[in-house]
Amino acid sequence: MTEVVVPAVRQETILVVGGAGYIGSHMVKMLLDQGFRVVTLDNLATGHRQSVLGGDFVQGDVGDPLLLERLFTGYAFAGVMHFASHIQVGESVTDPAKYYRNNVSNTFVLLDAMRKYVVRHFIFSSSAAVYGEPLVVPITESHPKNPINPYGRSKWIIEEVLADYDLAYGLRSVCFRYFNAAGADPGGAIGECHTPETHLIPLVLMAASGRLPQVKLFGEDYDTPDGTCIRDYVHVNDLCQAHLLALERLLQGGGSAAYNLGNGGGFSVREVMAAAERVTGRKIPVVVAPRRAGDPARLVADASLAHRELGWRPQFSELEQIIRHAWQWEQKLAGVISEFGNKVR
Ligand code: UFG
C-alpha cells in the first residue's frame, strides 16, 4: 500500500504573480503541495494556463491597478511572490522600454497595492545579472552590482527600491539572485517552455529530441579550460524550496535579505552537452558559432549565505539529474506539441 501524504492545511493565501511561467508554475505546485492557498496572477503573455496545477487563477496584468484593487480586496494575502518579468538579455538591449515598463513600473503597481492593503511579505525573483561581468568567482552577495544590460538593471533597481520600502514602509522582502535555472518537475507534470527558447539546456534537449536540427555553441575561445562559458545550473525545484524557506522566515517575522541561488559548481557549455548526451543516449548535433554578446566567461554562485541563514539544501544539485528531469519534460513536450500550439517554437 502506498503511503498518502496529506499536507497540513495552511491558513495563509499566497499571491504568485507570474505563476504560469517556468519557475512560477513550479512554485505554485510546491505551495499547493505544502497546503497553502494560492492565487496565480498571470497575463499569459509568455506563461501557459495548463502549467498552473491548482489554486485560483486570474488572467491579467500586474500593471493593472484596478485589477490589483479587486484582487487585494477579494483575498487577504499573507505574502506575494513576484516571478513575472521579461528575461531576454539581448531583447532588453534593443527594447529597454519593454523591460523597464514591465520589470520596473509594473512592480511599482504591485508594491503600491501591497502597501495599501498592508501586505508586508514579498519575495522577488532577481538575477545573477545584477552583478554584471564578475570581478571574482564564486560570486558572493556583496560583489559590486554593475549590471551590463537593461534586464540586469531592471532587477537591481527593484532590489534597491525594496531596501528603501523596508525602511520607510516596513515591507519585508527577500530577493533571490538566480543563477541558471534549469530542470523540471521531477514527476514530469510541468517544465520549461519559453518562446523563443534561448536557454542552453532546453535547446540542447530539443536538438536531442529532434525538435531542432542542431544547437549552436556560442564561442569556444573563452578563458576557461575547454574554451566554453561556465555556468552554475540550479534545479527549478531547489529554487522554489528556497522561496518556501524564505516565506516561512518572513511569516515568522524575519527581516529583508538578498541571496544567491546556485550550486556553487560551474559546468562549461561542452560539459552540459556531454552530460545531455549521456542522459539522452543520443548524439547532439552542435555547430560552433561566434560568441553571443554580453556573455561573461564564468558565472558561479557562492550560495553559502542561503545555506546558513535559510537552511537551504539543494536536493537536485547533480547536473545529470537536472538534465534528466528536463529531458523527461522535453520528451513530453515533443509529444504534446499541439496542446501548446504554436507557442512552442
Ligand atoms: N549557449 C549556447 N548556445 C545556445 C544557448 C546558450 O552556447 O543556444 C551558451 C551561452 O552562450 C552561455 C550558456 O550557454 O554561455 C548559458 O546560456 P543561457 O542562455 O542558458 O543562460 P545565461 O547564462 O545567458 O542566462 C542566465 C539567465 C538569465 C540571466 C543571466 C545572467 O538565464 O536570465 O544568466 O547573466 F540574465
Side-chain angles (χ1 to χ4, degrees):
M1 211 174 84
T2 46
E3 194 190 342
V4 179
V5 182
V6 181
V9 176
R10 307 276 308 226
Q11 294 309 309
E12 298 96 338
T13 304
I14 308 300
L15 174 62
V16 181
V17 182
Y22 170 41
I23 304 172
S25 60
H26 289 77
M27 191 73 242
V28 169
K29 181 171 188 294
M30 193 176 280
L31 286 166
L32 292 168
D33 288 346
Q34 292 296 315
F36 284 97
R37 296 174 188 171
V38 180
V39 178
T40 295
L41 172 65
D42 200 299
N43 63 6
L44 299 184
T46 55
H48 307 281
R49 176 64 183 92
Q50 61 270 53
S51 299
V52 184
L53 298 182
D56 292 352
F57 179 80
V58 178
Q59 184 172 351
D61 210 282
V62 65
D64 177 347
L66 294 178
L67 174 62
L68 290 191
E69 192 74 30
R70 284 209 305 279
L71 261 183
F72 278 76
T73 47
Y75 297 92
F77 296 119
V80 176
M81 295 185 178
H82 186 22
F83 296 91
S85 78
H86 294 313
I87 59 164
Q88 290 176 45
V89 170
E91 185 189 54
S92 81
V93 175
T94 53
D95 192 1
K98 178 173 175 180
Y99 280 70
Y100 291 121
R101 192 181 319 113
N102 188 43
N103 299 5
V104 179
S105 305
N106 287 352
T107 303
F108 280 119
V109 179
L110 177 60
L111 294 174
D112 281 345
M114 289 183 66
R115 284 173 50 210
K116 182 166 175 190
Y117 291 94
V118 203
V119 179
R120 292 190 189 279
H121 305 126
F122 188 61
I123 301 185
F124 177 63
S125 299
S126 184
S127 167
V130 300
Y131 298 113
E133 187 72 45
L135 305 175
V136 277
V137 282
I139 301 171
T140 62
E141 287 81 357
S142 58
H143 183 286
K145 316 304 179 292
N146 288 316
I148 53 172
N149 49 60
Y151 168 71
R153 256 189 296 281
S154 73
K155 294 292 181 181
W156 181 236
I157 289 169
I158 294 301
E159 284 205 33
E160 293 202 293
V161 164
L162 288 172
D164 292 339
Y165 278 31
D166 180 332
L167 285 176
Y169 311 126
L171 191 144
R172 306 284 181 249
S173 63
V174 171
C175 298
F176 282 122
R177 298 173 191 152
Y178 306 152
F179 280 65
N180 287 64
D185 170 45
I190 46 177
E192 186 166 9
C193 186
H194 294 115
T195 307
E197 188 53 77
T198 61
H199 293 123
L200 180 66
I201 290 178
L203 288 170
V204 164
L205 296 177
M206 284 160 83
S209 73
R211 284 210 290 143
L212 281 182
Q214 63 201 19
V215 62
K216 287 184 184 164
L217 191 165
F218 294 136
E220 31 170 34
D221 56 349
Y222 285 93
D223 184 17
T224 59
D226 68 12
T228 67
C229 287
I230 291 175
R231 293 289 181 273
D232 185 340
Y233 296 91
V234 53
H235 197 288
V236 61
N237 264 34
D238 286 331
L239 295 180
C240 294
Q241 194 65 43
H243 286 64
L244 211 54
L245 293 165
L247 176 66
E248 295 290 4
R249 212 180 66 138
L250 288 173
L251 293 176
Q252 285 161 23
S256 295
Y259 300 105
N260 288 338
L261 293 181
N263 281 309
F267 293 93
S268 73
V269 176
R270 283 276 186 211
E271 286 173 327
V272 169
M273 290 171 168
E277 290 194 339
R278 287 195 298 276
V279 167
T280 62
R282 299 186 186 182
K283 181 94 192 104
I284 292 161
V286 176
V287 284
V288 177
R291 288 182 180 202
R292 191 172 67 176
D295 274 343
R298 247 175 233 268
L299 277 177
V300 178
D302 179 333
S304 53
L305 192 64
H307 297 172
R308 277 200 311 279
E309 292 194 358
L310 296 177
W312 183 55
R313 301 278 172 271
Q315 216 191 322
F316 307 109
S317 53
E318 299 295 321
L319 179 65
E320 285 197 19
Q321 198 171 24
I322 293 173
I323 294 177
R324 205 169 298 119
H325 290 157
W327 177 232
Q328 178 175 259
W329 170 248
E330 166 57 25
Q331 287 172 294
K332 184 170 176 181
L333 208 50
V336 297
I337 219 159
S338 55
E339 196 185 324
F340 283 82
N342 57 15
K343 282 184 135 195
V344 171
R345 288 203 191 200

